[in-house]
């Protein structure tokens, strides 16, 4: 009787394992779905880390209880290697070669976060971080450029430019700070109520390079929505309320994803039209690595964090959310090194993403 019960229980667990493995594959490759046609399904990528964790738990269980059954978990993890690596890469660290440039992408939240005291004076924490970062190119989202900020960083960044887009809750400003001459710029048009993308032309050591700065459509969650999401994650709401609020929040996220899709596609078309130039693309995608936005933009570009970073690289960790929504991508003209998310600074509600790029020798 006990033997039969054990066999039945293991059979049920194996069924659950197969279902979880299939779910991991479906969610892992859901970034191929266009949110315009599949708004809800395209947002399931947010659950990917939980599903990976469940499959790893199954793997450990089968290795301890019935090692032969672990083949299902192992095969699923192998087949899902691409999305797993996209979400949480592991790379061997190597020395940054001489002649590399340092690039930073940073949503500074309009410099609203707390100031720090330096030399007896209050200074903006994010601005001071940028000034002392050693980055050669800095793409800011939700930035601002005025006489005071310009004067503060002119010594480090003699070349500065920006574009401003009006929106209901205030202007959206994309800023490029550079140690190399900025020789032109061109906004990339797409439908939006206030978010934007702009291609700056920068002369990097004699090579004209496109530096594309982006701030795609926001999640659409209000402050109340984010607080409610945080309560759901912490289990502080009743079951009925959790079900209702989860559906509503998923609907809001899905609608935002639908608006981001044509924005990402517009930038991708621009990249294809300028494929003869070296490209560095930065920005706040407002979307996770398992998303249509990320999938579209990495068709012709390399994700520097996936290629040279380690771990999940969460760049936004507020309201119970832990996601990597800030990115640096590059064309095949560049080799990325040591990409990281610096979570030791608190100058914004986002963490900056930093990478080293080395121009490849032309064959």
């Amino acid at each position: 009787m006990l033997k039969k019960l054990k066999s039945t229980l293991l059979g049920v667990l194996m069924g659950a394992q197969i279902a979880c493995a299939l779910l991991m594959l479906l969610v892992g490759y859901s970034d191929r779905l266009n949110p315009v046609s599949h708004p809800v399904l395209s947002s399931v990528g947010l659950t990917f880390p939980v599903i990976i964790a469940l499959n790893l738990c199954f793997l450990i269980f089968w290795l301890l209880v019935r090692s032969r059954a672990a083949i299902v978990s192992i095969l699923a993890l192998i087949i899902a290697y691409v999305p797993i690596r996209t979400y949480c890469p592991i790379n061997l660290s190597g020395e940054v070669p001489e002649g590399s440039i340092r690039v930073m992408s940073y949503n500074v939240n309009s410099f609203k976060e707390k100031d720090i005291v330096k030399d007896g004076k209050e200074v903006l924490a994010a601005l001071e971080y940028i000034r002392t970062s050693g980055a050669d190119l800095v793409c800011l989202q939700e930035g601002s450029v005025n006489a005071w900020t310009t004067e503060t960083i002119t010594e480090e960044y003699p070349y500065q430019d920006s574009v401003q887009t009006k929106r209901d809750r205030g202007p959206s400003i994309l800023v490029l700070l550079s140690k190399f001459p900025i020789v032109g710029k061109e906004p990339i048009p797409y439908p939006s109520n206030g978010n934007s993308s702009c291609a700056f032309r920068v002369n990097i050591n004699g090579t004209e390079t496109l530096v594309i700065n982006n701030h795609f459509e926001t999640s659409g969650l209000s402050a109340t929505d984010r607080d409610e999401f945080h309560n759901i994650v912490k289990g502080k709401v009743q079951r009925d309320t959790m079900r209702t609020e989860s559906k509503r929040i998923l609907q809001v996220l899905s609608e935002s994803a639908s608006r981001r899709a044509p924005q990402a596609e517009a930038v991708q078309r621009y990249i294809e039209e300028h494929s003869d130039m070296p490209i560095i693309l930065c920005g706040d995608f407002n979307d996770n690595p398992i998303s249509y936005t990320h999938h579209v933009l990495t068709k012709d570009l390399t994700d520097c964090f996936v290629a040279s970073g380690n771990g999940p690289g969460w760049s936004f960790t507020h309201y119970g959310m832990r996601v990597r929504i800030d990115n640096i991508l590059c064309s095949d003209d560049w080799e990325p090194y040591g990409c990281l998310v610096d979570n030791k600074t608190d100058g914004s509600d986002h963490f900056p993403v930093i990478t080293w790029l080395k121009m490849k020798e032309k064959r």
Side-chain angles (χ1 to χ4, degrees), residues 261-272:
Q263 297 173 3
E265 290 168 347
V267 174
Q268 171 58 19
R269 286 193 297 271
Y270 188 90
I271 292 168
E272 291 177 347

Side-chain angles (χ1 to χ4, degrees), residues 248-321:
R248 188 182 64 79
I249 289 174
L250 179 60
Q251 182 65 33
V252 173
L253 292 174
S254 300
E255 291 173 356
S256 298
S258 299
R259 290 192 288 270
R260 267 192 302 275
Q263 297 173 3
E265 290 168 347
V267 174
Q268 171 58 19
R269 286 193 297 271
Y270 188 90
I271 292 168
E272 291 177 347
E273 292 167 0
H274 297 81
S275 59
D276 58 327
M277 297 181 65
I279 295 174
I280 301 171
L281 184 145
C282 300
D284 177 0
F285 290 6
N286 273 309
D287 225 334
N288 73 95
I290 310 299
S291 65
Y292 182 77
T293 299
H294 186 273
H295 176 68
V296 165
L297 293 173
T298 53
K299 283 182 178 179
D300 297 315
L301 301 179
T302 297
D303 184 321
C304 296
F305 189 85
V306 174
S308 65
N310 286 286
W314 294 319
S315 63
F316 187 88
T317 58
H318 290 256
Y319 309 104
M321 301 178 186

Side-chain angles (χ1 to χ4, degrees), residues 1 54 70 90 94 116 156 164 180 255 299 315 330 333 338 352:
M1 179 67 180
L54 288 174
I90 298 176
I116 59 174
E156 289 77 17
Q164 178 172 316
F180 307 104
E255 291 173 356
K299 283 182 178 179
S315 63
C330 66
D333 305 274

